[in-house]
Amino acid sequence: MHLPRQLGALHDLPDTPEAYDAVLADVVEQALARLTPEGNLEHPDCVDDIGDTSLGITSLLALAWQRGRDPRLPEAVRRSLAFHLRERVYTEDNPGYPNLRARHSALPYARYTLAPGAHPIGDWPSTVWALLQAVDVLDLADGLVEGEQRTELLDVAHGYWRWLTEATFFNPQEAGNQAIGCVVGGLMLARHLPPGKGEQVRARALALYADKIRAHRVADRGALLPPEHGGAYDNNYGPISLSFLAQAHRVSGERIFAEDGDALARYIDARLTGGGFDNGGPRYSEQHSGFESVLGLRYFSRRVGSDLGRYRGDTRWGRHAVKADGGVDGHFAWMLVWQIQDTTRWHRSPSPLPARHQLRAGTVSVAFDDRMTPSLVEAVGTYYLAAAVNRQHGFGPVTDGFLFCRPMGEVRVRDVRADGLTAKLVTKPVVGRDHVLRHVRSLYVTDGTRLWLTVAVERLPGTPYLLAGMPYAVDDGDRVRRTAEGEVTSAGALRLTHPESDGVDHFDARAGQTQEEAAFALAADPRGYGNPDEGWRHLVASTALEAEPAPGAPEDLHVFAVRYGGSGPFGALTVERDGSRLRIRTEAFTAVLGETAGDAHGDPELTLKAS
């Protein structure tokens, strides 16, 4: 089975002016064929996320007219705009809406669904989206929308802003992408208001960003990130937040948006595998955005100098939102407008700088979590997730059911490149159930096609093994396919184990289930509202690669050695004491690891050369 939404790299989609004109031409033909006598441009199957969609198509038609002057479009723009203003602007409170601060304000808002009281919780983001569609139309209005209709649209857009910031609580879903989108709407609206009002709206937008978003950023992997539905980052909504930060910087010029976007972009770069695969987040574990991410990934790929466009998006939404029949939907249309207007081009090569939470060279990459334990390993087109044993998740030595990967103290990292090899040494103090402090030294070395993981730790009791990940997915052309096997060898005996239980808290990679589905099954709240990452943490056991200790290690150590990728057996391995250092020789390299107190600052030492 294929994963349903992680498809091609977003930077593979052509983004020339000619390519975008072709996209707009297709939208125009679909829209003109769909336009009803009343002026409605909504997709016939649209029920949810509907309040802004007709207006979104209107904005695309306005952009197409500005670029191509198709004589059919001015009347379509005016008719469809009249429909939105007449039929999709609500001023009476939606029954059951829980987040009002002022009842009966008579301020305009957009509905998530049209029926009164039906899923009103979605009205806040729908009104943000409607505001953004409205300001896009205002930006594109010259020669199309004039006189009373333009005045009414501006009044409604200003009313949307006031409803979002006065009549309701701000950002009631704690969704960073929605909140930053609202700020962008205010910044764009301010340019159309008289100077006094415009400056007030701009100042309010900047204050909301500083006080309600930036001040509440969440730390993850060394970065401060806008919170997304209660978590630090979501692999669907996080890149969308990056797009909003890009637009905020484009329209305001404020440094704060560039700096925060740079931080989020570097974070995304570090957590993404080289192949663009990622999973995790407080809302969607494996769902991915498409065109909604392009602006931010492209804009900041150039700023931070890395190939963020390798992100595997849902290319079915590569240009705009679509329904099941492939027909265009106006949802999030402003992102297509902005990415067409923005002239930034993709940066397509990796950053040459080492990153603490990333090891990457060639087709091999490792993404590390906050504990500097791999969250994703990529080699030979196969992706390995952290395995689970006895309710503990990660990569590391295991004895008597205890996984040594949670640090008790500072984690030290040393990056080295030499002789065509790229390496990272991670040293952690870890306390076992016996309360004995041990230093786990994990060495990751790659030649760009294979990855060697060597782990040394003070000798463990019992019969230890290395938990070396769970093979989960493999590249299959532009798709990602589920798998339960990988090209892995070990210096000691290696086994691939599967849970004996078929309970929901045991994940067998051979089963026809995705990690996303299993995570939601374990989450406390319903799908779409629960936290799948939190649910996944309840996993008791999973399919796992288990490597026994390598023979010939010093008597006081257990050493484990695994290679991801490459044909044939592991090859020769020698591990020797060299004074206070540890010398490791494999078929491909010789590495010398210093003690934890290897220099005056206590940082580990690492030297590396090809064999």
Side-chain angles (χ1 to χ4, degrees):
M1 61 179 290
H2 288 102
L3 299 184
R5 299 175 185 87
Q6 295 208 37
L7 305 176
L10 290 179
H11 65 197
D12 288 345
L13 292 169
D15 63 348
T16 62
E18 294 77 15
Y20 282 132
D21 283 337
V23 171
L24 288 174
D26 175 58
V27 171
V28 165
E29 296 308 320
Q30 289 192 53
L32 292 179
R34 179 187 300 169
L35 184 65
T36 68
E38 297 78 20
N40 189 354
L41 287 171
E42 293 161 0
H43 191 285
D45 294 339
C46 192
V47 176
D48 297 342
D49 270 321
I50 193 173
D52 68 301
T53 60
S54 181
L55 189 58
I57 299 293
T58 302
S59 73
L60 293 175
L61 296 184
L63 178 61
W65 186 80
Q66 296 290 359
R67 291 169 70 89
R69 302 291 167 167
D70 185 330
R72 301 173 297 171
L73 295 181
E75 178 62 20
V77 167
R78 288 189 283 268
R79 282 176 56 197
S80 59
L81 177 56
F83 168 80
H84 179 84
L85 295 173
R86 184 180 66 249
E87 303 289 343
R88 293 296 180 259
V89 178
Y90 295 84
T91 55
E92 294 183 358
D93 295 352
N94 197 352
Y97 185 72
N99 297 313
L100 289 175
R101 297 173 59 198
R103 295 192 183 279
H104 312 300
S105 69
L107 291 170
Y109 67 95
R111 285 187 177 175
Y112 178 77
T113 59
L114 301 182
H119 202 87
I121 194 70
D123 290 355
W124 202 86
S126 288
T127 304
V128 174
W129 310 154
L131 170 61
L132 293 171
Q133 313 284 25
V135 292
D136 270 355
V137 173
L138 288 168
D139 281 353
L140 298 163
D142 288 350
L144 286 174
V145 181
E146 298 171 337
E148 292 183 2
Q149 194 177 44
R150 186 184 185 282
T151 299
E152 184 179 1
L153 176 61
L154 180 57
D155 287 345
V156 166
H158 193 195
Y160 285 154
W161 169 257
R162 292 188 58 202
W163 187 86
L164 291 163
T165 59
E166 298 174 21
T168 70
F169 290 95
F170 184 79
N171 191 21
Q173 294 184 26
E174 297 183 354
N177 75 98
Q178 298 172 11
I180 305 171
C182 183
V183 167
V184 170
L187 294 171
M188 296 181 70
L189 171 67
R191 302 184 300 183
H192 294 280
L193 294 171
K197 285 187 178 179
E199 188 52 44
Q200 288 178 356
V201 170
R202 177 186 169 91
R204 175 70 169 146
L206 294 174
L208 284 170
Y209 182 76
D211 299 338
K212 298 292 187 179
I213 302 171
R214 196 169 197 267
H216 297 278
R217 287 177 299 172
V218 180
D220 187 42
R221 307 185 195 195
L224 288 173
L225 308 171
E228 188 55 67
H229 288 286
Y233 176 83
D234 184 281
N235 63 357
N236 180 26
Y237 293 123
I240 298 174
S241 285
L242 191 66
S243 287
F244 282 130
L245 288 169
Q247 182 67 1
H249 186 241
R250 289 182 68 234
V251 301
S252 74
E254 293 287 339
R255 177 190 288 181
I256 191 171
F257 299 118
E259 292 175 346
D260 291 356
D262 288 349
L264 177 54
R266 291 191 179 97
Y267 170 90
I268 292 174
D269 184 40
R271 71 173 287 147
L272 273 186
T273 56
F277 176 82
D278 186 24
N279 74 320
R283 271 296 283 277
Y284 295 115
S285 188
E286 288 176 318
Q287 292 195 46
H288 276 57
S289 50
F291 77 102
E292 316 100 294
S293 301
V294 168
L295 175 67
L297 293 170
R298 191 176 67 193
Y299 191 83
F300 285 101
S301 74
R302 182 64 54 182
R303 283 188 56 87
V304 303
S306 193
D307 55 338
L308 302 181
R310 70 187 189 275
Y311 179 92
R312 283 186 180 268
D314 187 341
T315 51
R316 296 170 303 182
W317 279 41
R319 298 305 195 179
H320 47 67
V322 297
K323 290 300 185 184
D325 64 358
V328 63
D329 180 14
H331 188 49
F332 268 51
W334 66 85
M335 284 295 192
L336 179 57
V337 172
W338 300 343
Q339 66 173 272
I340 291 175
Q341 293 172 333
D342 179 48
T343 58
T344 306
R345 298 278 68 88
W346 289 108
H347 183 97
R348 296 178 180 273
S349 57
S351 170
L353 303 175
R356 178 177 174 88
H357 295 277
Q358 176 194 64
L359 174 72
R360 183 181 173 204
T363 59
V364 171
S365 55
V366 185
F368 295 87
D369 62 18
D370 251 350
R371 305 177 305 189
M372 287 306 297
T373 295
S375 59
L376 269 174
V377 170
E378 173 194 22
V380 197
T382 301
Y383 302 98
Y384 303 85
L385 302 180
V389 57
N390 196 24
R391 302 185 186 275
Q392 302 159 94
H393 301 204
F395 288 71
V398 177
T399 185
D400 295 331
F402 184 85
L403 172 60
F404 288 79
C405 75
R406 295 169 300 283
M408 179 63 71
E410 190 66 24
V411 179
R412 307 293 186 118
V413 177
R414 176 63 60 90
D415 288 280
V416 170
R417 291 181 181 176
D419 295 346
L421 301 171
T422 304
K424 185 183 294 285
L425 174 62
V426 177
T427 300
K428 299 182 187 180
V430 178
V431 175
R433 296 200 192 281
D434 57 6
H435 290 199
V436 174
L437 180 69
R438 293 176 172 85
H439 291 93
V440 179
R441 287 175 284 178
S442 302
L443 175 65
Y444 304 83
V445 180
T446 179
D447 60 3
T449 59
R450 300 166 292 177
L451 172 70
W452 287 264
L453 168 58
T454 307
V455 179
V457 61
E458 289 90 348
R459 197 160 189 86
L460 297 164
T463 55
Y465 63 89
L466 179 72
L467 193 66
M470 174 180 70
Y472 177 70
V474 62
D475 289 339
D476 187 7
D478 286 340
R479 305 295 301 273
V480 179
R481 177 170 48 82
R482 281 280 285 102
T483 190
E485 56 188 25
E487 204 173 287
V488 183
T489 58
S490 172
L494 181 71
R495 55 187 174 266
L496 180 64
T497 66
H498 305 284
E500 296 180 0
S501 170
D502 59 359
V504 68
D505 54 0
H506 290 70
F507 187 82
D508 191 328
R510 300 169 299 181
Q513 186 182 41
T514 67
Q515 188 265 355
E516 176 186 352
E517 291 168 335
F520 268 113
L522 290 166
D525 296 305
R527 182 180 180 84
Y529 303 93
N531 183 336
D533 278 5
E534 188 176 87
W536 186 251
R537 284 192 283 270
H538 294 296
L539 192 70
V540 173
S542 72
T543 292
L545 287 162
E546 300 176 354
E548 293 185 4
E555 292 185 357
D556 60 336
L557 294 178
H558 271 125
V559 177
F560 309 88
V562 173
R563 187 189 69 217
Y564 302 84
S567 58
F570 186 88
L573 172 74
T574 60
V575 182
E576 303 169 327
R577 288 285 190 194
D578 182 8
S580 63
R581 298 175 174 85
L582 194 66
R583 184 183 302 274
I584 299 171
R585 291 191 183 93
T586 72
E587 59 196 314
F589 64 86
T590 298
V592 178
L593 285 59
E595 296 291 348
T596 310
D599 65 7
H601 303 289
D603 289 330
E605 293 179 347
L606 173 63
T607 59
L608 181 71
K609 66 178 181 179
S611 295

